[in-house]
Amino acid sequence: MKTLRRVTRLLLFLGHVLWGVLLTAIFAGVLRMSVTQPFYQGLVQAWLRRLTRIMGVRVKVSGTPASAGALLVANHITWLDIPLLGGVLPVRFLSKQEVRHWPVVGWLAVKAGTLFITRGKAGAAAAATATMTDALQGGATVLLFPEGTTTTGNDVLPFHARLFAPAINLDIPVQPIVLRYPSVNGLTQPLIPYVDDQALWDNLWGVLGESECAAEIHFLPPLIITGLDRKGLATLCETNIRQRIEKSSKV
């Protein structure tokens, strides 16, 4: 039964990716639309939403997303986080530079308005700050994963404070988001985290075999950042997200 489910979903998944390539080629290539246009934003959202359904993800959302022009920060568990969040609201993600060069996926990410950071390179944080600032000033909602990597979802790694500079400089709302993929014991469903040296294909194959996967998006209240520096803001976001994860895991 699992094998049949995996093969069926994989075919749907690949077909959906090809459909995304076609749509992007038409609307972003031929018609020259960009992610700043509401119709194109809606198209991207709908495509990402459909992708999560194909993967068998059942999404529960609590709280209200901040208005446009805000900085959103979330814990990071797996590649599924991106279609999950991108299917709920129009948002521009900050991603590692390597993604830009991935076959097909990198091109789709660029056309969807993804912002990139070159990790480990001198001046990378400053360049990312400038890119994020431009997007935020243009009215976009920007989302980053300040842990800088994925985790099991049962705890939170320290947040990188430098990435919070645009929010301090522009004095804009900052909203923490908690992502969870809970199993029956309240902890993260063990097949979901994309961590350590696991290959992307192995993670995808594991998720494809599950009959259903529960996912939760908790939009926490936007923070008052007056008087905070970027380190203080990063710590406050990290603390709020960690506390919510600990509370939810005990339910």
Side-chain angles (χ1 to χ4, degrees):
M1 185 64 183
K2 269 196 174 186
T3 300
L4 178 61
R5 184 185 300 125
R6 280 178 170 140
V7 171
T8 302
R9 280 189 179 159
L10 180 59
L11 292 174
L12 290 172
F13 179 89
L14 294 175
H16 191 61
V17 171
L18 291 175
W19 177 239
V21 170
L22 178 61
L23 289 175
T24 304
I26 293 172
F27 289 99
V30 178
L31 300 179
R32 302 293 183 181
M33 288 189 177
S34 74
V35 74
T36 59
Q37 295 174 268
F39 176 82
Y40 190 77
Q41 286 180 349
L43 201 64
V44 172
Q45 268 189 265
W47 187 86
L48 291 171
R49 235 179 355 254
R50 174 62 180 160
L51 182 62
T52 61
R53 293 195 190 105
I54 289 173
M55 296 302 299
V57 179
R58 176 172 45 85
V59 185
K60 179 181 178 182
V61 179
S62 65
T64 304
S67 56
L71 179 66
L72 310 183
V73 297
N75 60 308
H76 198 13
I77 301 170
T78 178
W79 59 272
L80 271 171
D81 299 344
I82 293 172
L84 192 69
L85 288 164
V88 171
L89 76 163
V91 63
R92 298 184 67 177
F93 293 94
L94 180 69
S95 180
K96 59 184 181 181
Q97 181 69 25
E98 293 89 332
V99 172
R100 184 194 287 267
H101 304 292
W102 289 0
V104 183
V105 173
W107 181 72
L108 289 173
V110 170
K111 296 303 182 182
T114 301
L115 311 174
F116 296 97
I117 178 172
T118 305
R119 298 184 302 186
K121 183 179 179 180
T129 295
T131 302
M132 292 166 60
T133 298
D134 287 345
L136 290 163
Q137 287 180 320
T141 297
V142 175
L143 190 147
L144 60 89
F145 300 107
E147 292 166 291
T149 188
T150 51
T151 73
T152 63
N154 298 318
D155 198 1
V156 181
L157 295 177
F159 283 7
H160 294 285
R162 288 185 177 182
L163 298 176
F164 288 82
I168 298 296
N169 297 339
L170 299 174
D171 192 25
I172 57 172
V174 176
Q175 183 172 41
I177 302 172
V178 174
L179 292 175
R180 299 188 68 242
Y181 299 85
S183 59
V184 291
N185 63 3
L187 298 176
T188 304
Q189 214 278 14
L191 283 174
I192 295 296
Y194 176 41
V195 293
D196 301 325
D197 296 323
Q198 185 184 36
L200 179 59
W201 168 254
D202 291 337
N203 184 271
L204 174 63
W205 191 246
V207 177
L208 287 171
E210 292 300 291
S211 59
E212 189 176 68
C213 169
E216 298 175 357
I217 304 174
H218 302 278
F219 290 98
L220 304 185
L223 302 174
I224 298 174
I225 69 172
T226 304
L228 292 175
D229 58 13
R230 63 191 188 189
K231 185 175 181 179
L233 179 57
T235 300
L236 183 58
C237 287
E238 178 189 329
T239 299
N240 284 8
I241 290 174
R242 176 179 286 109
Q243 289 177 343
R244 183 56 181 263
I245 289 173
E246 290 175 350
K247 179 180 178 182
S248 299
S249 298
K250 294 176 182 177
V251 175

